[in-house]
Amino acid sequence: MTSGLWERVLEGVWVTVQLLVLSALLATAVSFVVGVARTHRLWIVRFLAGFYTEVFRGTSALVMIFWVFFVLPPAFGWQLVPLWAGTLALGLTYGAYGSEIVRGALAAVDPAQREGGIALSFTPWQRMKLILLPQAVPEMVPPFSNLLIELLKGTALVSVMGMGDLAFSANLVRLALQESAEIYTYVLLIYFVIAFLLTRLMRGLEKKLKAGVGKTPVRDPGVELKRPETTNVGGAV
């Protein structure tokens, strides 16, 4: 390929990375808000969170992109630029999947931990912040890593809006060269490299979050532990 065509592909890579970061941030926020809401003590909050999850998890991300970009503007009299339309559609869709990860991780925390927080008179927010989330978040990282890779591949759907992402740019180059095998081989490799880097990043995050979990407490060598002396009666003195 010529340098001009490579520049087109690189511009598409940059747009894809931008879309991935923005939609991942939105999906993460939605995941935690909806996931925590699904464990709320009020049934109406659980119902609304569950309704949202079922709607966005049960609909096509491609159709959601069409809905946000083509259907909503005439209804409300405004138009979103493709980047924000794609971010909104992908973030809300994949956030619904992520909310199930959050809910499942919170439900997997030992019930005794919740009971301990209640015994200490912690408020529900304090129990969530100080007890549940610190234990649940490390367990969320592996499934969130898979979801992030799925989101990366889902960014290719925004090409239907004419957005100049990697998939759209690759199609323009294919039309210019009339060669499919070469350009799409390059595109596959680019997606693989981005996914590999994301996987390594998430794996490092998982190790960091689990670094202090399950470690044996280190005893100060200057402190000598003594066994209590006992009397013939059987009581410690």
Side-chain angles (χ1 to χ4, degrees):
M1 289 192 299
T2 63
S3 60
L5 294 178
W6 271 114
E7 288 180 2
R8 169 68 67 177
V9 173
L10 293 177
E11 289 175 0
V13 172
W14 172 238
V15 173
T16 294
V17 170
Q18 285 182 293
L19 179 62
L20 174 65
V21 172
L22 293 173
S23 56
L25 291 175
L26 177 59
T28 301
V30 171
S31 297
F32 277 91
V33 171
V34 178
V36 171
R38 296 206 64 184
T39 65
H40 201 274
R41 64 182 184 275
L42 296 179
W43 72 268
I44 186 63
V45 176
R46 296 196 305 270
F47 172 79
L48 292 176
F51 179 76
Y52 165 84
T53 301
E54 294 302 326
V55 169
F56 280 87
R57 192 175 57 174
T59 54
S60 168
L62 179 61
V63 176
M64 190 61 62
I65 290 174
F66 277 121
W67 184 271
V68 172
F69 191 67
F70 295 109
V71 177
L72 290 183
F76 293 94
W78 43 259
Q79 179 68 54
L80 286 173
V81 297
L83 178 62
W84 295 116
T87 297
L88 184 61
L90 293 176
L92 293 178
T93 300
Y94 284 88
Y97 291 98
S99 67
E100 282 297 283
I101 297 175
V102 175
R103 184 194 63 80
L106 291 174
V109 176
D110 192 343
Q113 301 291 327
R114 303 171 185 268
E115 295 170 1
I118 295 174
L120 293 172
S121 300
F122 283 180
T123 64
W125 168 244
Q126 288 175 323
R127 294 198 299 270
M128 182 66 64
K129 179 182 178 182
L130 301 176
I131 299 176
L132 301 180
L133 284 179
Q135 298 181 65
V137 168
E139 304 303 323
M140 300 177 193
V141 176
F144 265 127
S145 178
N146 291 332
L147 189 62
L148 184 60
I149 301 303
E150 290 296 324
L151 177 57
L152 169 64
K153 294 184 287 187
T155 57
L157 297 175
V158 301
S159 60
V160 299
M161 299 184 295
M163 184 176 173
D165 71 313
L166 178 57
F168 185 81
S169 300
N171 187 52
L172 293 180
V173 174
R174 181 188 67 83
L175 294 175
L177 295 178
Q178 293 298 311
E179 178 62 45
S180 299
E182 178 184 2
I183 180 59
Y184 284 123
T185 299
Y186 288 139
V187 171
L188 285 176
L189 290 175
I190 292 172
Y191 275 115
F192 172 77
V193 169
I194 297 175
F196 179 78
L197 294 176
L198 290 175
T199 302
R200 303 305 299 180
L201 178 64
M202 295 298 288
R203 191 166 298 174
L205 178 61
E206 180 183 3
K207 290 181 179 179
K208 183 177 180 181
L209 290 175
K210 291 185 176 181
V213 178
K215 286 188 174 182
T216 303
V218 179
R219 181 170 62 87
D220 188 350
V223 178
E224 182 179 357
L225 298 178
K226 296 183 179 180
R227 297 179 61 183
E229 298 179 0
T230 59
T231 66
N232 294 330
V233 180
V237 296

